[in-house]
Amino acid sequence: MKSTILRGIATLALVPVLVACSSDETSAPPDAGPNEHQTAAVSWLAAQPADDGLFTSHFADVETGEASAFVDYGLNLDLYSALEELGDDAAAEKVYQSTIEHADDYTDPPGGTRYAGALAKLAAHVQAHGDDPHALGSRDLIDELEALVVPKGAEAGRVKDMPDGKMQSTSVLNQGWAVRALTTAGSGDADAAVDFLLKQQCDDGSFRADMAAEPCTSGPGSVDGTAFAIQSLKVAAEQGSAGLEDEIDEAADWLVRTQADDGSLSDEGGPNTNSTGQGAAALQVSGHQGPAARAASWVAGRQVEGGPEKGAIALSDADLALATGKRIAQADRDRYVRASVQAVLGLAALPSDPDDASGSR
């Protein structure tokens, strides 16, 4: 059960179960195991956590230059998923256990707010690990998440931070995590959560990045939001939610129309490996193997090939130049880890023959 659910969380292992509409055979067989690009990335990622099992992000204040550091537990859950899905079980387990020890700090940090997105993401990863989300220590993560679901009205099905303050999160990604956790748990709130996620789909098939109570009637939406919504709806479909095929197809078709000729996808400013990697994963699970392969090939072209940071996936061409043949600065490393944990899973769409990436679907 652990492996099956984790693959839904890690996005790509839904391919053998759910992709039935594609006639394109350009991607590697789903049972082929990690390819060389993924293996190199995982080797690099496994070296990023400190001795305590957690990756710590370092930053320099733009104005003062003063250094600061913090642990992003959500990023560490992404790191766990990438390591586990691609075969480094020992490193993955250390990251997971270290993150779980800080579950309260992640979902209920000082200040009195319980964050819906953090709670949903934590619950989904606990399920993926094969643990009982109803019994994480003294906590029942599913009951807690259900308590954050709006019960009625225009926002019915939405998960909201509590208390409902001025800084309420609006991310479609948060709703996507809730859909994954609630459908996997067989929650009575699962259908409502799915319906509210679908409310964020615009007329052109895309999903907007920030949620609203009113249905989206005009696009374009967000590449990241659309890619993540596709993957979350695929998890919901695997868990028994019916009637999602048309919405998934429309969203995937929008990604195909949005994709640049070189295979890249852009969100908020330009092409990057985070958006393109997420897009590759979504395109593959929705049966668009040719576009997925082109996206994965673009991502592979931004991977550091040698030197002390071999295997790292740069967010952009500029970051690739900074990491080629030299060590990444501590204050910049967070950016490469974030790019790598998202993009590495999209690399599964790489074709065994690079010429196959020219396929149209």
Side-chain angles (χ1 to χ4, degrees):
M1 189 67 167
K2 172 182 174 182
S3 177
T4 299
I5 298 175
L6 180 60
R7 291 179 172 186
I9 301 304
T11 71
L12 283 176
L14 290 174
V15 173
V17 177
L18 293 169
V19 175
C21 61
S22 176
S23 60
D24 191 307
E25 300 297 333
T26 61
S27 63
D31 59 351
N35 56 49
E36 61 179 345
H37 287 276
Q38 291 180 301
T39 299
V42 167
S43 178
W44 182 82
L45 284 170
Q48 302 313 304
D51 291 342
D52 64 358
L54 294 170
F55 172 73
T56 299
S57 301
H58 294 266
F59 295 96
D61 187 277
V62 175
E63 296 181 356
T64 67
E66 183 178 349
S68 61
F70 79 103
V71 176
D72 183 334
Y73 299 111
L75 175 59
N76 277 277
L77 288 176
D78 291 333
L79 178 57
Y80 155 69
S81 286
L83 293 170
E84 175 70 22
E85 176 63 17
L86 296 173
D88 196 329
D89 294 346
E93 186 66 14
K94 188 171 184 179
V95 173
Y96 175 79
Q97 294 298 342
S98 298
T99 305
I100 291 301
E101 289 176 7
H102 295 274
D104 293 351
D105 297 325
Y106 178 41
T107 62
D108 299 72
T113 299
R114 170 164 286 171
Y115 290 98
L119 179 57
K121 187 171 183 176
L122 177 65
H125 281 81
V126 168
Q127 291 167 328
H129 189 264
D131 295 335
D132 185 357
H134 294 285
L136 186 69
S138 62
R139 298 183 62 177
D140 186 326
L141 300 180
I142 301 303
D143 279 359
E144 291 177 13
L145 186 58
E146 289 174 338
L148 302 185
V149 177
V150 177
K152 58 184 178 180
E155 292 189 315
R158 175 181 176 177
V159 292
K160 297 188 74 172
D161 304 339
M162 291 296 292
D164 185 4
K166 294 181 180 179
M167 297 300 292
Q168 181 63 235
S169 173
T170 62
S171 171
V172 163
L173 275 64
N174 290 346
Q175 190 71 20
W177 284 117
V179 163
R180 297 181 189 209
L182 293 172
T183 56
T184 300
S187 168
D189 290 317
D191 287 344
V194 170
D195 288 343
F196 193 77
L197 178 58
L198 291 175
K199 222 176 186 183
Q200 312 315 310
Q201 188 168 25
C202 307
D203 289 348
D204 62 1
S206 66
F207 281 74
R208 55 192 171 195
D210 294 330
M211 293 187 296
E214 301 77 19
C216 184
T217 57
S218 62
S222 157
V223 167
D224 291 356
T226 302
F228 198 76
I230 289 170
Q231 295 166 70
S232 297
L233 292 172
K234 283 289 190 181
V235 173
E238 186 185 47
Q239 298 300 327
S241 295
L244 300 177
E245 292 81 4
D246 288 346
E247 288 83 358
I248 291 170
D249 287 345
E250 290 169 6
D253 287 344
W254 180 83
L255 285 180
V256 173
R257 296 194 304 272
T258 302
Q259 188 176 30
D261 291 342
D262 64 3
S264 65
L265 289 157
S266 302
D267 212 352
E268 296 186 3
N272 64 83
T273 57
N274 192 309
S275 298
T276 306
Q278 284 275 8
L283 288 166
Q284 190 178 35
V285 298
S286 59
H288 294 74
Q289 307 295 6
R294 291 197 297 277
S297 295
W298 189 88
V299 169
R302 277 80 198 159
Q303 185 171 34
V304 180
E305 294 184 351
E309 308 293 356
K310 178 181 179 181
I313 300 173
L315 183 67
S316 63
D317 288 337
D319 275 0
L320 179 62
L322 287 176
T324 299
K326 47 186 171 289
R327 189 161 294 282
I328 298 167
Q330 187 182 55
D332 295 329
R333 193 163 292 271
D334 172 274
R335 197 164 65 249
Y336 292 82
V337 172
R338 289 181 190 277
S340 296
V341 294
Q342 298 292 341
V344 67
L345 298 166
L347 288 174
L350 277 172
S352 55
D353 181 353
D355 291 337
D356 287 342
S358 62
S360 62
R361 182 176 175 88

